[in-house]
Amino acid sequence: MALIRKRRLTDQQKRRIHKQHQSRQDDLDTSNDLEGLVVQHYGRQLEIKALSVPEIHPEKPTVGPNDPEPFWKPITLGSVWRCHTRTNLELLVTGDRVTWQADPNTGLGIITAIHARQSLLTRPDRYHKVKPVAANISLIVIVFAPLPEPAPTLIDRYLVACQHANIPTLLVLNKADLIDQNHHIQTLLQEYQALGYEVMTTHAHGHVDALTQRLDGETVAFVGQSGVGKSSLINAILPDASQKINVISENSALGQHTTTSTRLIDFGQSGALIDSPGIREFGLWHLTEDAIYSGFPEISALIGQCQFRNCTHKQAKNCALEKAALQGDILPRRLESFLRLCDEIQEAQQKS
Ligand SMILES: Nc1nc2c(ncn2[C@@H]2O[C@H](COP(=O)(O)OP(=O)(O)OP(=O)(O)O)[C@@H](O)[C@H]2O)c(=O)[nH]1
Ligand SMILES: [Mg+2]
Ligand SMILES: [Zn+2]
């Protein structure tokens, strides 16, 4: 064992250590800390809305009468600032509450800390990394429409993700003007309603009062396929939002995304509406089988009733799920969707 000897520090060494400590303290100076909300993403930069202002506002530099007016952005409540993040911070998303500092001389800010999240919606990216989508959402509106043709399995996937994130959902069937009475999409809506999900029908070019009322006070994320009218609905609720919408609706059938970044827009006193790009695929391989069950309440109610404990639910004989589907107690398409998700998870587990 090494012999530890106490060493006397010279005065000069003491002074140097004190100075180093002081400069570290200066780095951590928190007196300029502000509260903020992430309202939009731009690659590595973010936009922050100021939720607080400094007790003592920094003073604008004074210049001589012939000098040009220097750049100066006052820190006001609700003002929006481009910000970088400290490198040690985890990935931030729209809806995150943060601590940040503003520099009125440049109009830029730096985010120094992230607050604990109430909720977080995630999805895996194409590199199979779990990617946060939006934080602190209190309600997710899943929008679908007669055009583009809905993909019920995508709706099922959204429902699993929302249930997993523990965020309530509202299913909105938009473009009501394009639905004739016998349209199969009505049936789709009714099926989800029968499963216990809250549903609503809207027409983004008509009245959206009922939807506006329902969303009051909530922080709402709009999700759904490209072209279903998410941005149109937000513009109908908040005309000042001026979200870009697809001019030629046929474009959406080609899978072009009009909204390209997730943006948060103030809504009433305490609410917010979050527009997000349409998502064509929504992998759930990062979830557990239990999470999948929770997105299929009618199926999870039957779990344990199959004859064999290790039932794969793929042979009609002795399988409670197959039997229920054959008898019309559950929807065959929902069972199919459920089994496909379970397969996806198993495949992912085998690969890793
Ligand atoms: N007929 C009809 N058309 C609508 C309605 N709502 C939206 N649209 C049209 O549908 C097209 C797509 O609308 P967007 O609001 O851009 O759709 P989005 O869901 O935001 O699409 P992405 O941003 O690409 O994800 C536009 O041409 C809208 O005018 C509606 O209620 N009825
Ligand atoms: Mg859009
Ligand atoms: Zn079974």
Side-chain angles (χ1 to χ4, degrees):
M1 202 177 151
L3 191 70
I4 302 166
R5 235 187 313 152
K6 262 199 174 167
R7 195 161 60 100
R8 281 190 153 234
L9 296 174
T10 63
D11 281 349
Q12 198 193 0
Q13 281 172 323
K14 275 185 197 159
R15 272 200 304 276
R16 203 166 53 218
I17 287 172
H18 178 74
K19 211 170 145 200
Q20 278 172 357
H21 181 72
Q22 193 59 46
S23 77
R24 241 176 274 141
Q25 286 302 307
D26 288 347
D27 257 4
L28 294 173
D29 181 7
T30 52
S31 60
N32 300 321
D33 277 357
L34 298 170
E35 288 292 305
L37 172 69
V38 178
V39 290
Q40 194 153 6
H41 248 275
Y42 291 100
R44 310 197 87 215
Q45 279 190 11
L46 298 146
E47 264 186 4
I48 298 295
K49 187 175 80 172
L51 297 182
S52 73
V53 290
E55 265 175 48
I56 306 161
H57 197 285
E59 266 180 49
K60 188 175 171 176
T62 47
V63 286
N66 297 325
D67 292 334
E69 190 68 18
F71 179 88
W72 184 257
K73 178 170 173 166
I75 309 166
T76 53
L77 216 54
S79 57
V80 174
W81 295 66
R82 284 253 171 154
C83 288
H84 283 287
T85 53
R86 280 246 165 100
T87 44
N88 57 349
L89 287 189
E90 61 183 292
L91 204 60
L92 289 162
V93 285
T94 304
D96 264 326
R97 292 287 191 117
V98 295
T99 304
W100 69 294
Q101 297 189 351
D103 180 1
N105 292 299
T106 59
L108 297 172
I110 179 142
I111 300 166
T112 55
I114 167 175
H115 294 206
R117 290 162 169 160
Q118 303 287 316
S119 70
L120 180 67
L121 181 69
T122 59
R123 75 182 192 99
D125 66 10
R126 77 185 105 130
Y127 309 107
H128 276 203
K129 282 219 172 81
V130 178
K131 221 180 130 193
V133 179
N136 301 322
I137 301 160
S138 65
L139 179 74
I140 293 186
V141 171
I142 304 172
V143 186
F144 62 112
L147 196 96
E149 184 74 24
T153 52
L154 187 63
I155 299 177
D156 291 339
R157 280 166 191 269
Y158 275 126
L159 289 172
V160 170
C162 297
Q163 185 65 44
H164 176 68
N166 210 7
I167 306 170
T169 47
L170 167 65
L171 282 162
V172 166
L173 170 56
N174 188 36
K175 309 197 188 182
D177 53 313
L178 301 183
I179 309 170
D180 61 58
Q181 281 204 322
N182 303 316
H183 205 292
H184 62 90
I185 200 148
Q186 293 273 33
T187 317
L188 194 65
L189 188 77
Q190 283 154 7
E191 284 172 359
Y192 284 108
Q193 192 170 26
L195 289 173
Y197 294 104
E198 189 184 354
V199 300
M200 201 178 267
T201 306
T202 56
H203 174 201
H205 304 148
H207 290 293
V208 286
D209 301 353
L211 181 62
T212 307
Q213 240 169 43
R214 170 64 187 88
L215 306 186
D216 186 36
E218 307 267 14
T219 298
V220 189
F222 284 73
V223 299
Q225 265 170 288
S226 183
V228 291
K230 299 178 290 296
S231 304
S232 303
L233 282 171
I234 290 175
N235 285 345
I237 297 168
L238 290 171
D240 286 346
S242 310
Q243 279 295 85
K244 210 171 140 203
I245 63 158
N246 206 338
V247 230
I248 312 158
S249 55
E250 284 74 37
N251 269 358
S252 3
L254 301 173
Q256 285 181 11
H257 298 251
T258 308
T259 306
T260 47
S261 69
T262 305
R263 180 180 166 219
L264 183 147
I265 305 142
D266 283 337
F267 173 52
Q269 284 269 305
S270 57
L273 304 183
I274 299 175
D275 197 3
S276 70
I279 294 167
R280 249 165 295 157
E281 286 164 29
F282 203 95
L284 293 173
W285 55 267
H286 61 302
L287 302 185
T288 61
E289 208 154 285
D290 280 350
I292 306 291
Y293 285 134
S294 65
F296 292 84
E298 79 280 29
I299 293 175
S300 46
L302 299 171
I303 294 298
Q305 292 183 21
C306 304
Q307 189 177 354
F308 302 110
R309 274 188 69 198
N310 58 351
C311 182
T312 56
H313 316 303
K314 281 173 184 161
Q315 285 107 23
K317 224 176 150 198
N318 311 319
C319 172
L321 308 191
E322 289 285 337
K323 209 160 106 192
L326 282 174
Q327 286 175 353
D329 296 337
I330 60 172
L331 296 167
R333 73 158 181 86
R334 287 272 293 172
L335 179 57
E336 218 172 279
S337 204
F338 168 81
L339 292 174
R340 198 193 297 174
L341 287 175
C342 292
D343 282 350
E344 244 175 59
I345 284 178
Q346 263 174 11
E347 259 171 52
Q349 279 168 353
Q350 277 159 11
K351 269 188 212 155
S352 62

